[in-house]
DNA sequence: CACGATGATTGTGA
DNA sequence: TCACAATCATCGTG
């Protein structure tokens, strides 16, 4: 304490601004020392500033190095906070992965909208795909029967009111179009020959490059690319956009010849009416 | 608590 | 046996 007072009095620990020199000069002047021995003063001032500097650096070091004692209560509090954070993050992750699973299924559904009957292989594939994205959190495996249930419910509920699913259909159409276009672009970049996995890739690419632009973007959640709109437009206008997948080995032979209920009931030009989608996406409420 | 969304179950027909 | 239709059960939300 006394040391502190002394330092303060000496101008060492005082306010740095204005310099200790001025304070010292004032102090010395007040004491009555003459201005004649200015050499001594300058010397003194230099030393003082040096001391000040050392003092402050040391003080800073001390402040930095000083470790605050942490009580166990505080530790517990921090642990609780971290736990809460962790669980919230876990929940978010879980939700996102669940959404990813339905996303996968929806993607398949809408890209096979003309014939949404996945074969056993396809179901297994989808189940595996979903399991990969979902079960990384915990062992909630997606079974094939669940996929079947999902598709059954989806078909029924889609057929029940198509208008309700228009937006979703457009969304996933755009998404699959983008991914397909990316794949096609990659394939085209690699080699001009069509890849066997996408038989209609050439057609798609043609139509895609043929008419782009002049499309007012709606609220399609952009997948990072402004291409999506034009691609969606192109795909929706030009082709049923999933019929090309008929050559897909995963495709079920069930309803291929099907003039059964699904094929006729479904072509609702849901995806093939970009004008409506562009003007009013909210048209689903009209039903 | 009502309501909608969604997964699962059950009955029926081809 | 599979798809469909109806229904139930559960969960999240306003």
């Amino acid at each position: 304490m006394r040391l502190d007072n002394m330092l303060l009095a000496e101008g060492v620990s005082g306010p740095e601004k204005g310099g200790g020199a001025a304070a010292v000069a004032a102090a010395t002047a007040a004491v009555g020392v003459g201005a004649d021995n200015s050499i001594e003063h300058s010397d003194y001032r230099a030393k003082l500033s040096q001391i000040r500097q050392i003092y402050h650096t040391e003080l800073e070091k001390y402040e930095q190095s000083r470790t605050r004692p942490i009580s166990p209560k505080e530790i517990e509090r921090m642990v609780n906070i971290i736990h809460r954070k962790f669980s919230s993050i876990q929940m978010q992750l879980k939700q996102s992965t669940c959404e990813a699973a339905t996303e996968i299924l929806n993607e398949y559904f809408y890209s096979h909208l003309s014939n949404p009957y996945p074969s056993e292989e396809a179901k297994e594939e989808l189940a595996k795909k979903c399991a990969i994205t979902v079960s990384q959190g915990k062992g909630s495996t997606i079974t094939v029967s669940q996929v079947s249930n999902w598709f059954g419910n989806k078909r029924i509920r889609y057929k029940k009111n198509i208008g309700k699913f228009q937006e979703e259909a457009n969304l996933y159409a755009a998404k699959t179009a983008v991914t397909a276009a990316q794949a096609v672009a990659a394939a085209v970049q690699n080699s001009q020959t069509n890849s066997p996995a996408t038989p209609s890739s050439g057609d798609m690419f043609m139509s895609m490059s043929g008419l782009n632009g002049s499309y007012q973007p709606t609220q399609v959640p952009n997948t990072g690319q402004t291409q999506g709109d034009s691609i969606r437009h192109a795909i929706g206008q030009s082709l049923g956009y999933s019929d090309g997948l008929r050559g897909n080995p995963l495709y079920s032979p069930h309803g291929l010849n099907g003039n059964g209920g699904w094929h006729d009931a479904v072509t609702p030009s849901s995806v093939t009416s970009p004008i409506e989608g562009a003007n009013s996406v909210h048209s689903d409420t009209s039903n």
Side-chain angles (χ1 to χ4, degrees), chain A residues 165-177:
Chain A
F165 291 93
Q166 285 254 349
E167 199 176 343
E168 206 179 46
N170 287 333
L171 198 155
Y172 282 100
K175 192 174 289 186
T176 51

Side-chain angles (χ1 to χ4, degrees), chain A residues 178-192:
Chain A
V178 168
T179 53
Q182 283 173 350
V184 169
V188 168
Q189 267 192 351
N190 283 342
S191 63
Q192 289 291 339

Side-chain angles (χ1 to χ4, degrees), chain A residues 223-234:
Chain A
T223 54
Q225 298 178 354
T226 52
Q227 282 183 348
D229 299 320
S230 60
I231 289 167
R232 182 176 114 196
H233 188 187

Side-chain angles (χ1 to χ4, degrees), chain A residues 39-104:
Chain A
I39 301 163
E40 221 176 281
H41 284 175
S42 65
D43 192 22
Y44 177 68
R45 262 178 287 181
K47 282 214 167 152
L48 184 65
S49 69
Q50 208 176 344
I51 289 167
R52 268 185 70 97
Q53 199 175 349
I54 291 164
Y55 171 80
H56 277 106
T57 52
E58 288 298 321
L59 191 70
E60 205 172 7
K61 265 195 236 171
Y62 173 72
E63 287 288 344
Q64 281 180 357
S65 68
R66 190 173 56 171
T67 55
R68 191 163 56 89
I70 301 170
S71 65
K73 209 172 171 182
E74 262 183 314
I75 291 172
E76 196 186 353
R77 210 166 62 91
M78 289 304 292
V79 166
N80 279 337
I81 288 169
I82 289 166
H83 266 294
R84 273 200 295 272
K85 285 270 180 196
F86 188 75
S87 64
S88 79
I89 288 168
Q90 209 173 14
M91 263 178 58
Q92 280 180 355
L93 190 68
K94 201 172 159 187
Q95 199 176 353
S96 67
T97 51
C98 190
E99 282 169 5
T102 57
E103 226 169 273
I104 288 165

Side-chain angles (χ1 to χ4, degrees), chain A residues 142-158:
Chain A
I142 302 291
T143 64
V144 176
S145 67
Q146 276 178 305
V147 175
S148 305
N149 282 336
W150 190 91
F151 269 91
N153 285 321
K154 190 74 180 178
R155 279 194 298 265
I156 295 274
R157 283 158 187 168
Y158 180 86

